[in-house]
Amino acid sequence: MTDKIRIKDIALRAGVSVGTVDRVLHNRPNVSKPAKEKVELALKEMNYQPNVYASALAYNKSYTFYIIMPEHDSEAYWEEIEEGTLKAMETMRDFNIDVKILYYERFNDNSFITVSQSCIDSNPDGVVIVPSTLEITRQFTDIMHERQIPFVMLDSYMPDLKPLSFYGQDSFVSGYFAARMLMLIASNEKEIVLMKRIMNGNVTSKQQANREVGFRHYMHDHFPEVNIIDLDMPIDGSRKKYDHILEEFFNSHPHIHHCITLSSKAHIVGEFLLRTNRRDIQIMGYDVVAKNAECLRQGSISFLIAQHAYQQGFCCIDTLFKAIVLKKVVNPVNYMPIELLSKENIDFYRRTQL
């Protein structure tokens, strides 16, 4: 019934002209306050819902959304993000949506600054940002606010920057959950290993740092007697270097049976364990990249936590579309589901499910 309501029906109900109704519906000027109130009352009484999709199609404007993300290899978590954004563009092609991807070198502030400036110079309609450090990202987002360009944050949430929306896991809860799942199989251990990807003495992302807070919070509350040994792995290490570090570590800690990493690189340890035939040690990690999935199937990885990266990419573009094209109100914070995968259910995981 709502779809059959015509402008002239609304005008008749409100006792105003068709032109007045049209101006109110499209938020145009030159409408008196009494006339506007009459139209709004009529709309409410008639339960009128505008067809925003039809209006957007009729307007026939084109939109360009940018996504700024780290450079990555072909098996990375970020590849799924890309696939999701491009699928969203394909789904919305009737609305003339174009998505362009810009890459910055991770852990390189100058690279992020250069890429973000290129994005600004292109005058985008909306932007998806995988942030760098808070202060470097703020330099970019301050300009976005000044120019009234909406932006969505992905992966790491920085509420101080006031994004339109955020997509990613609740990092603290995710780390807490990871600890709980690990201790289902490691509850009798006296020591466990936390493998960290390190650059200049620090973990390589805010998200991983927050996961570690959640992880240690659970361990402190429920297994305070278990010693957590940090195993630092340099971000720029070769396989030979990693193998040397791992060989030395496990030889000097023969009683260790369980490892965890809060990054997507569990396969660094998983592949080492398979090559050296160490069947009494397992690692737990994040993300369904191909190398992780294979280690999970072969038993060197015990569990993986999936982040639904494809869905994150799709939803970021969809949120910009809804907010900018359809003028809809969107949710400011969108936490992704935390899904636990083992070798028994890895083949049923659907990366592209929405």
Side-chain angles (χ1 to χ4, degrees):
M1 179 178 179
T2 301
D3 292 338
K4 296 180 181 179
I5 297 175
R6 301 168 299 178
I7 288 182
K8 71 178 191 177
D9 297 325
I10 301 168
L12 184 63
R13 180 71 167 257
V16 299
S17 69
V18 169
T20 297
V21 174
D22 183 73
R23 286 193 291 275
V24 172
L25 290 176
H26 294 93
N27 199 28
R28 297 191 183 110
N30 302 322
V31 180
S32 68
K33 184 177 178 180
K36 184 178 181 180
E37 290 174 348
K38 288 180 181 179
V39 172
E40 289 175 344
L41 178 60
L43 293 173
K44 184 176 180 180
E45 291 175 346
M46 300 172 77
N47 193 28
Y48 175 79
Q49 298 293 329
N51 189 335
V52 291
Y53 288 90
S55 297
L57 282 170
Y59 193 48
N60 199 34
K61 181 183 175 181
S62 60
Y63 301 85
T64 302
F65 300 151
Y66 278 72
I67 174 168
I68 297 178
M69 64 188 303
E71 295 174 350
H72 57 83
D73 59 46
S74 61
E75 292 186 339
Y77 154 79
W78 305 111
E79 186 181 35
E80 289 190 41
I81 298 283
E82 272 192 48
E83 291 175 6
T85 61
L86 296 177
K87 180 61 178 179
M89 179 180 71
E90 178 187 335
T91 302
M92 302 161 195
R93 61 180 178 269
D94 289 345
F95 295 89
N96 302 312
I97 303 296
D98 187 23
V99 175
K100 297 186 182 297
I101 303 175
L102 299 177
Y103 303 98
Y104 65 90
E105 183 181 342
R106 206 162 192 195
F107 319 119
N108 184 331
D109 290 346
N110 289 332
S111 176
F112 183 88
I113 292 170
T114 299
V115 168
S116 60
Q117 185 59 54
S118 175
C119 177
I120 291 168
D121 293 343
S122 300
N123 195 28
D125 295 290
V127 181
V128 178
I129 308 170
V130 177
S132 178
T133 61
L134 176 62
E135 290 310 313
I136 292 297
T137 308
R138 189 193 302 275
Q139 295 174 23
F140 175 48
T141 57
D142 282 351
I143 297 173
M144 301 288 282
H145 283 301
E146 288 173 8
R147 299 193 179 187
Q148 298 184 323
I149 300 173
F151 63 91
V152 174
M153 303 203 80
L154 189 155
D155 188 59
S156 294
Y157 187 32
M158 297 179 177
D160 290 350
L161 304 186
K162 297 180 173 58
L164 170 71
S165 188
F166 162 75
Y167 281 90
Q169 284 188 346
D170 183 319
S171 300
F172 177 90
V173 172
S174 180
Y176 193 94
F177 173 80
R180 184 177 182 185
M181 294 302 100
L182 175 66
M183 298 315 292
L184 290 177
I185 57 174
S187 59
N188 294 324
E189 300 296 315
K190 294 181 179 179
E191 292 186 321
I192 58 173
V193 180
L194 174 59
M195 187 196 89
K196 298 182 183 181
R197 300 272 282 163
I198 296 295
M199 182 176 183
N200 298 325
N202 299 309
V203 293
T204 55
S205 77
K206 182 175 181 289
Q207 186 186 59
Q208 287 178 51
N210 289 341
R211 285 174 186 165
E212 184 175 345
V213 173
F215 175 83
R216 290 186 181 276
H217 191 83
Y218 178 87
M219 295 300 294
H220 178 270
D221 287 351
H222 299 280
F223 292 90
E225 73 283 0
V226 175
N227 184 32
I228 302 170
I229 303 174
D230 288 350
L231 177 58
D232 294 344
M233 303 289 275
I235 191 73
D236 56 352
S238 63
R239 191 176 87 171
K240 183 178 179 180
K241 184 172 185 177
Y242 292 149
D243 282 358
H244 175 74
I245 293 172
L246 293 170
E247 184 76 37
E248 192 174 76
F249 178 84
F250 287 119
N251 284 342
S252 61
H253 296 80
H255 56 286
I256 291 291
H257 300 292
H258 291 282
C259 252
I260 187 168
T261 182
L262 305 175
S263 76
S264 62
K265 300 296 183 178
H267 60 81
I268 291 175
V269 177
E271 290 179 335
F272 169 80
L273 296 175
L274 293 174
R275 286 196 302 273
T276 56
N277 199 31
R278 296 174 187 260
R279 297 293 177 176
D280 61 335
I281 304 170
Q282 291 181 319
I283 185 168
M284 175 180 173
Y286 279 74
D287 299 327
V288 193
V289 299
K291 290 180 180 180
N292 281 350
E294 186 56 30
C295 288
L296 185 66
R297 293 186 184 98
Q298 294 194 43
S300 61
I301 292 180
S302 53
F303 296 114
L304 288 173
I305 293 179
Q307 297 190 74
H308 293 278
Y310 178 95
Q311 184 176 349
Q312 289 183 53
F314 186 100
C315 290
C316 283
I317 298 300
D318 186 56
T319 293
L320 288 176
F321 167 72
K322 288 176 178 174
I324 296 170
V325 180
L326 302 184
K327 312 298 182 187
K328 288 188 173 183
V329 176
V330 298
N331 292 330
V333 180
N334 303 273
Y335 287 127
M336 306 305 294
I338 301 172
E339 185 169 351
L340 189 70
L341 301 177
S342 67
K343 64 181 180 181
E344 289 79 17
N345 68 347
I346 180 66
D347 292 328
F348 302 104
Y349 176 69
R350 296 289 182 265
R351 293 194 332 158
T352 59
Q353 185 176 2
L354 290 172

